[in-house]
Amino acid sequence: RSTKNTNLLPRMKWAPDYGHRLGLTSVDELNNQLSNITLPPSSCKPNLFQEHFFRANGKIVGSASQKLELFLVLPQIVPANSLSDCPAWDVYLCLRECMDYILSPFILRSSLHYLSGLIENYLAQFCEVFGKECLLPKHHFMLHYPAHIMKFGPLRNVWCMRFEARHQYFKHLTINTKKFINITKTLANRHQMKLCHALSSSQYLSE
């Protein structure tokens, strides 16, 4: 499944409470930490946090790849001396270990039993810290991941991240053209013109 709108940690309803417990007192402080992180050129750097982030219904703005990158670099943003005695952070660390297996391009069959127990442990911690009312269908889907890996191999090979990236182009094109009459024809024409331009380049196949 896509990582877009990933709520394996619940939406930022807990941010005002746990954010201050983690020493994150302002959006400016978060953005300062995020701006100072050095990422590889191939990485999709997360967007800066919006002013409403610490409100009850604060949301993280960005594409699927940006949210995934934010999830991975979160330990570099949060002050290390404020991580002890925080249940929410323990839930994140457990999820992070789960994702290390789930997103791995290679995984041993012998590790699947451990992953199954790890996911069950994560869900138990999640319910204890955030409550069962925050559970989503995708939390249940996680329980099936080990079986799917056994059948189809590493899930990274069948995820839809690349399809999300492709869809992002069409969404931006729709906003930029501001033409909604026969929008499918407009998108098809613009995409084919873009493809023709790319194929006409002598460096297209070498890039």
Side-chain angles (χ1 to χ4, degrees):
R1 294 183 63 84
S2 166
T3 56
K4 184 177 182 181
N5 295 326
T6 299
N7 290 329
L8 295 176
L9 285 175
R11 191 163 288 188
M12 296 295 113
K13 294 178 180 178
W14 53 274
D17 178 27
Y18 286 105
H20 288 293
R21 289 182 61 181
L22 291 175
L24 306 175
T25 57
S26 69
V27 173
D28 291 338
E29 183 180 351
L30 272 175
N31 289 336
N32 183 55
Q33 295 282 354
L34 187 58
S35 300
N36 292 331
I37 293 177
T38 302
L39 296 174
S42 59
S43 298
C44 193
K45 189 166 185 178
N47 290 331
L48 297 179
F49 293 95
Q50 304 296 314
E51 290 296 330
H52 61 266
F53 174 71
F54 277 114
R55 297 176 187 171
N57 293 319
K59 299 179 182 179
I60 297 177
V61 178
S63 64
S65 57
Q66 287 176 315
K67 291 180 180 180
L68 176 59
E69 194 67 37
L70 177 61
F71 175 81
L72 298 176
V73 302
L74 190 59
Q76 301 180 53
I77 301 175
V78 180
N81 58 356
S82 60
L83 302 181
S84 61
D85 193 28
C86 181
W89 188 253
D90 292 336
V91 176
Y92 165 79
L93 293 179
C94 188
L95 176 60
R96 178 63 184 270
E97 188 175 0
C98 290
M99 299 306 288
D100 286 342
Y101 283 93
I102 293 170
L103 296 180
S104 174
F106 305 99
I107 184 169
L108 298 175
R109 289 177 180 267
S110 57
S111 302
L112 295 180
H113 182 71
Y114 175 75
L115 174 60
S116 181
L118 197 63
I119 292 174
E120 292 178 4
N121 183 43
Y122 158 70
L123 294 176
Q125 290 187 33
F126 182 96
C127 292
E128 182 179 350
V129 175
F130 301 112
K132 293 183 179 180
E133 63 276 5
C134 289
L135 286 173
L136 296 171
K138 62 182 65 180
H139 289 103
H140 171 75
F141 299 154
M142 289 184 69
L143 294 171
H144 298 282
Y145 283 177
H148 290 330
I149 294 174
M150 179 68 73
K151 291 181 180 179
F152 308 114
L155 297 182
R156 195 182 189 96
N157 296 333
V158 295
W159 70 351
C160 58
M161 180 69 81
R162 296 313 311 154
F163 297 97
E164 292 284 354
R166 196 64 169 175
H167 186 222
Q168 195 77 8
Y169 164 76
F170 292 104
K171 290 195 294 184
H172 289 164
L173 190 59
T174 302
I175 296 173
N176 293 334
T177 57
K178 298 181 181 179
K179 293 182 180 180
F180 301 98
I181 298 177
N182 200 358
I183 185 64
T184 52
K185 181 179 179 181
T186 300
L187 295 178
N189 286 338
R190 292 292 294 269
H191 177 266
Q192 290 304 104
M193 287 190 289
K194 180 177 182 293
L195 183 60
C196 288
H197 179 268
L199 292 174
S200 65
S201 172
S202 58
Q203 299 179 350
Y204 177 72
L205 295 177
S206 62
E207 291 178 353

